[in-house]
Amino acid sequence: MANTEEKELLKVENMYIHFKAENGGHIQAVKDLNLTIKEGETLAVVGESGCGKSVTSLSLMRLIPKNAGYTEGKILFEGKDLNKVSEREMRSIRGNTMSMIFQEPMTSLNPVHKIGKQIGEVIYLHSSLSQAEIKEKSIEMLKKVGIPRAEKIMDEYPHQLSGGMRQRVMIAMAMACTPKLLIADEPTTALDVTIQAQILELMNELKKDFHTAILLITHDLGVVAEMADRVMVMYYGQIVEQADVRTLLKKPKHPYTVGLLNSVPDMNDDSDKPLVPIVGNVPNLGVIQTGCPFYARCPQAFQKCHLENPPLFERGEQWVRCWLYENQEVIA
Amino acid sequence: MTDALLDVKELKVYFPVGNRFFNKNSLFVKAVDDISFRVQKGETLGIVGESGCGKSTMGRSILRLIEPTSGSVKFKGREVTDLSKNELRKLRSDIQIVFQDPYASLNPQLTVESILGEALSTHQIGQHAKERKEMVTDLLVNVGLSPKHAGRYPHEFSGGQRQRIGIARAIAVNPSLIVADEPVSALDVSVQAQILNLFQHLKKTYELTYIFIAHDLSVVKHVSDRIGVMYLGKMVEQAGKKQLFQKPLHPYTQALMSAIPSLDPDMKKERIILKGDVPSPISPPTGCYFNPRCQFRMEVCEKVKPREIEAEPGHFVSCHLYDRDIHPNPTEK
């Protein structure tokens, strides 16, 4: 559990992400997003495909191409507004104090460069070490992420490594400059469970050693339970619920969170009772609708839900975007 | 034992690798290596394993979508591997498959009605077009779609709806066995639960038998009666669902189960973290294939392949730990 007295590392205020649509209009992929991450804390962002969780992470790193869309709002990282800094300054932040690992370790490494060169590049760009020192540091990082025969792997190409190994290399690259914030976008989704267990353990160890904050983007609630201090649930580009991990998994408030948890087969349950799925499908972002975006799938919807999109009702550390909790002072 | 619906014995599927023209003694990927199991009528056999363990290849070789290298597959008492092309086509109306990727397994140029109608006409079900049309309507309703969807193309549907169409196509020809190859792994969790419930519902309505292949243990646990665990082309453990989950015997099964993150943040379990990766199936380790990663490795494991042992009634495991000839006290680990 993160210490509550820790400093705020990242604070996002009223972030909107717009994409250009085919018909000349705009699609709002993320709407009015607020989040904070304290130093050394793990915040998990959960949601299904198309809910805006990956776009959020890309936008924090300013990796959305200018001609594709734009981001509004404040992204305060160590007090600096990343939405305003120059590209040059942004480059000195990326990979240095803030770095990212991606879902697909197969495609996120450059296939034509050796592993040693790819790790060395990060260190070269953000430090003034000599070539020999860079090599030494690269090998040290590879060893730290549990790669056997690190010296040899420096001279190998990504295709010679397995998926789990590549993800370790990605993590070594991301951690090479001991970032304050690591953004991990579905870091274990492409991996098998036994390899996933290895990688999650590694991330937790590195977090302890370097006191790195992690923004973990995932769809897997099991991974959330394992890793997170706090959890944010997204649906249709909005935060629908936020709470600490225990509260969220044990006493979920928003009907969508409840639905998600009921949809997952429970390993500890030996009865054969059927799952309780959420009816229908995730709505298309391009379709503009009134009311709560979850209205059509919600078992507890009433008339107000159809007319007006609820605001986030904040009760201390817990946020819920649902009319059911409108008049409750404390979310019990 | 009563006659099983499907009886697979010593099934092997090998793929040659490298240049076969010049090199007669070429290497083989042993994708499925000596697997035997039975499926009784009305039961669901779950198959779990990690990527590359051969579970999909095994599923396909039962229908002879991939030709088995050797071994026997008996379906309703008939040897499948000896069937001629015509007989095989008839067999395929009795065994159907549902594929993993609903985006790739439906022809984008056909409407849903033609996709389902094609299955019906190929197997000569229904007398005339009008009757088939009615059957298509019924099928759509049975898989939770609406009759108005019949005229639409696959791209107009979401992943979950496409998987429903894939399932409708499989049940269209009244099969008795359905091989479901990772049918929910491409879907979001909320939709995944819908499809799993649909499988359960159809099993009752159509009296189906399933071979349910998946990498997700919690999904397999939810749908299966019995479960087989595969590792590197071998079936390392096979048991009833309750038996397997209450008392996993094979060290690999134990590691696999402990690797799954629990939904309860307070339940910090003792985790067995496996070292290293799955070895290459071209040059598997000698002896037991799992020995380089196994925490209970003994000397014999590096030399001798373990045989399948019935450790408890109905609970089969391929591990020297439970072999009385090798290990004097098999219950102790």
Side-chain angles (χ1 to χ4, degrees):
Chain A
M1 198 79 215
N3 191 341
T4 40
E5 284 156 35
E6 291 281 5
K7 261 194 356 217
E8 269 176 13
L9 181 67
L10 177 79
K11 191 175 173 74
V12 175
E13 287 175 2
N14 310 93
M15 184 164 84
Y16 288 81
I17 304 174
H18 304 262
F19 281 102
K20 286 177 190 158
E22 271 175 22
N23 57 13
H26 285 273
I27 288 176
Q28 281 190 345
V30 171
K31 296 167 205 100
D32 198 14
L33 183 106
N34 291 286
L35 69 86
T36 49
I37 301 179
K38 297 188 192 102
E39 282 181 0
E41 180 190 38
T42 302
L43 172 70
V45 179
V46 197
E48 295 180 287
S49 22
C51 73
K53 55 191 194 304
S54 288
V55 172
T56 304
S57 67
L58 287 175
S59 179
L60 295 180
M61 291 283 273
R62 258 182 50 189
L63 288 174
I64 296 176
K66 281 215 171 66
N67 56 3
Y70 60 96
T71 307
E72 276 179 327
K74 271 191 187 150
I75 305 170
L76 296 168
F77 180 66
E78 297 188 293
K80 242 184 257 170
D81 189 347
L82 296 188
N83 220 358
K84 294 221 175 78
V85 300
S86 66
E87 189 51 43
R88 195 191 165 86
E89 204 169 341
M90 195 63 217
R91 261 204 304 264
S92 73
I93 294 171
R94 268 188 221 123
N96 191 12
T97 48
M98 184 176 181
S99 61
M100 184 160 181
I101 44 181
F102 299 90
Q103 172 173 2
E104 215 14 281
M106 310 292 157
T107 51
S108 44
L109 290 169
N110 190 330
V112 298
H113 289 303
K114 288 177 181 165
I115 301 295
K117 186 176 173 187
Q118 299 194 45
I119 299 185
E121 189 182 19
V122 186
I123 304 168
Y124 171 75
L125 283 173
H126 299 294
S127 73
S128 48
L129 299 178
S130 69
Q131 281 302 330
E133 285 169 324
I134 288 176
K135 190 168 179 201
E136 201 177 301
K137 175 112 200 240
S138 306
I139 294 173
E140 185 199 316
M141 277 321 293
L142 286 177
K143 282 187 177 151
K144 206 156 232 160
V145 296
I147 288 185
R149 50 185 198 98
E151 285 87 356
K152 260 190 154 174
I153 280 190
M154 291 284 286
D155 284 321
E156 284 182 9
Y157 290 94
H159 75 265
Q160 291 169 287
L161 306 179
S162 67
M165 281 297 169
R166 280 182 235 196
Q167 199 60 296
R168 281 172 197 268
V169 171
M170 276 302 291
I171 294 174
M173 279 168 68
M175 300 301 290
C177 294
T178 49
K180 295 215 166 118
L181 175 66
L182 175 71
I183 300 175
D185 186 0
E186 303 262 10
T188 56
T189 308
L191 306 175
D192 282 318
V193 272
T194 57
I195 309 294
Q196 165 171 297
Q198 294 173 356
I199 298 289
L200 293 183
E201 196 194 48
L202 170 68
M203 284 175 64
N204 270 335
E205 271 169 26
L206 292 175
K207 181 187 154 187
K208 254 185 237 152
D209 291 355
F210 295 109
H211 198 57
T212 305
I214 300 178
L215 177 65
L216 177 73
I217 314 258
T218 181
H219 70 279
D220 188 332
L221 290 161
V223 172
V224 170
E226 199 81 2
M227 301 283 293
D229 299 315
R230 265 189 314 131
V231 191
M232 220 168 81
V233 183
M234 284 184 79
Y235 187 76
Y236 198 71
Q238 294 177 327
I239 301 174
V240 294
E241 182 162 3
Q242 186 197 260
D244 70 89
V245 66
R246 234 168 234 95
T247 317
L248 191 110
L249 292 175
K250 293 198 163 163
K251 289 177 193 157
K253 291 287 168 294
H254 197 283
Y256 176 63
T257 319
V258 176
L260 270 188
L261 283 163
N262 283 339
S263 304
V264 186
D266 188 356
M267 285 292 286
N268 304 319
D269 184 9
D270 280 328
S271 67
D272 287 326
K273 62 172 189 250
L275 298 170
V276 191
I278 306 174
V279 292
N281 292 297
V282 180
N284 192 335
L285 274 176
V287 184
I288 295 166
Q289 41 176 315
T290 54
C292 173
F294 191 59
Y295 168 74
R297 305 176 76 189
C298 184
Q300 286 169 279
F302 50 100
Q303 203 178 2
K304 192 167 187 180
C305 307
H306 186 42
L307 300 171
E308 218 178 318
N309 191 13
L312 263 184
F313 297 111
E314 296 184 29
R315 303 282 184 268
E317 288 289 291
Q318 190 164 17
W319 303 352
V320 186
R321 190 187 292 278
C322 180
W323 286 121
L324 286 174
Y325 301 96
E326 184 185 8
N327 295 320
Q328 291 182 25
E329 281 302 309
V330 184
I331 299 171
Chain B
M1 204 183 243
T2 51
D3 269 352
L5 182 72
L6 183 77
D7 190 353
V8 176
K9 273 202 187 106
E10 291 160 23
L11 183 72
K12 290 180 184 168
V13 184
Y14 292 178
F15 298 111
V17 283
N19 193 331
R20 268 189 296 166
F21 192 75
F22 293 110
N23 186 359
K24 291 279 189 277
N25 316 318
S26 60
L27 296 165
F28 289 94
V29 172
K30 297 179 176 175
V32 176
D33 195 7
D34 200 359
I35 282 183
S36 306
F37 62 89
R38 284 155 175 259
V39 187
Q40 304 293 336
K41 193 174 180 334
E43 83 171 343
T44 302
L45 174 69
I47 303 281
V48 271
E50 296 181 282
S51 35
C53 72
K55 54 192 191 302
S56 291
T57 309
M58 189 208 70
R60 285 169 194 214
S61 63
I62 291 169
L63 285 90
R64 280 178 65 191
L65 290 172
I66 295 171
E67 288 290 337
T69 312
S70 71
S72 121
V73 178
K74 275 204 177 110
F75 180 71
K76 291 184 173 168
R78 285 192 74 188
E79 183 58 53
V80 173
T81 47
D82 296 339
L83 294 180
S84 69
K85 261 195 173 162
N86 271 331
E87 290 170 315
L88 190 61
R89 191 167 299 140
K90 280 194 199 109
L91 168 90
R92 291 214 177 118
S93 75
D94 227 3
I95 310 181
Q96 278 286 312
I97 185 162
V98 176
F99 295 98
Q100 169 173 8
D101 188 351
Y103 293 85
S105 54
L106 301 173
N107 187 337
Q109 299 189 320
L110 296 183
T111 60
V112 171
E113 189 176 344
S114 332
I115 290 171
L116 300 179
E118 191 180 34
L120 293 172
S121 58
T122 307
H123 292 286
Q124 285 133 33
I125 296 167
Q127 298 296 318
H128 40 78
K130 200 175 157 220
E131 195 184 334
R132 283 188 198 129
K133 197 163 187 165
E134 278 164 19
M135 290 169 108
V136 167
T137 312
D138 287 347
L139 279 170
L140 286 175
V141 173
N142 281 343
V143 296
L145 293 169
S146 120
K148 69 171 192 242
H149 288 135
R152 296 196 191 164
Y153 289 92
H155 75 263
E156 296 175 71
F157 294 95
S158 67
Q161 288 172 317
R162 281 184 222 211
Q163 202 56 293
R164 287 177 194 270
I165 299 166
I167 293 168
R169 181 176 60 184
I171 58 170
V173 295
N174 290 319
S176 37
L177 176 68
I178 288 184
V179 177
D181 186 2
E182 299 264 15
V184 295
S185 54
L187 307 174
D188 276 321
V189 268
S190 69
V191 180
Q192 173 179 313
Q194 296 172 6
I195 300 296
L196 289 177
N197 282 353
L198 176 65
F199 268 106
Q200 302 286 62
H201 166 73
L202 293 175
K203 185 179 173 182
K204 278 183 209 131
T205 337
Y206 289 86
E207 294 174 348
L208 294 166
T209 305
Y210 292 137
I211 294 181
F212 199 97
I213 301 169
H215 69 279
D216 187 337
L217 256 178
S218 57
V219 168
V220 168
K221 184 185 182 192
H222 185 75
V223 297
S224 310
D225 302 312
R226 272 193 317 125
I227 295 174
V229 182
M230 283 183 72
Y231 186 77
L232 263 180
K234 295 260 188 208
M235 190 84 91
V236 295
E237 187 163 1
Q238 219 185 122
K241 169 166 76 178
K242 287 219 171 96
Q243 265 178 319
L244 188 79
F245 276 85
Q246 275 162 12
K247 203 178 166 195
L249 294 178
H250 199 283
Y252 176 65
T253 317
Q254 292 168 357
L256 199 62
M257 283 183 186
S258 85
I260 296 164
S262 162
L263 272 184
D264 186 345
D266 292 328
M267 211 175 78
K268 291 279 177 247
K269 49 184 174 181
E270 277 281 309
R271 173 152 295 173
I272 310 163
I273 303 254
L274 288 181
K275 301 235 157 47
D277 288 313
V278 182
S280 154
I282 300 173
S283 51
T286 54
C288 171
Y289 287 177
F290 186 60
N291 87 68
R293 303 175 81 192
C294 182
Q295 56 170 343
F296 303 114
R297 179 170 59 178
M298 302 175 288
E299 217 171 284
V300 62
C301 303
E302 290 167 47
K303 291 172 191 147
V304 186
K305 276 189 191 171
R307 52 187 181 141
E308 191 166 69
I309 297 146
E310 190 163 6
E312 283 164 27
H315 195 150
F316 297 90
V317 62
S318 300
C319 179
H320 289 312
L321 284 174
Y322 306 96
D323 195 332
R324 279 167 205 278
D325 298 346
I326 289 162
H327 211 249
N329 195 354
T331 44
E332 235 175 66
K333 288 190 302 271

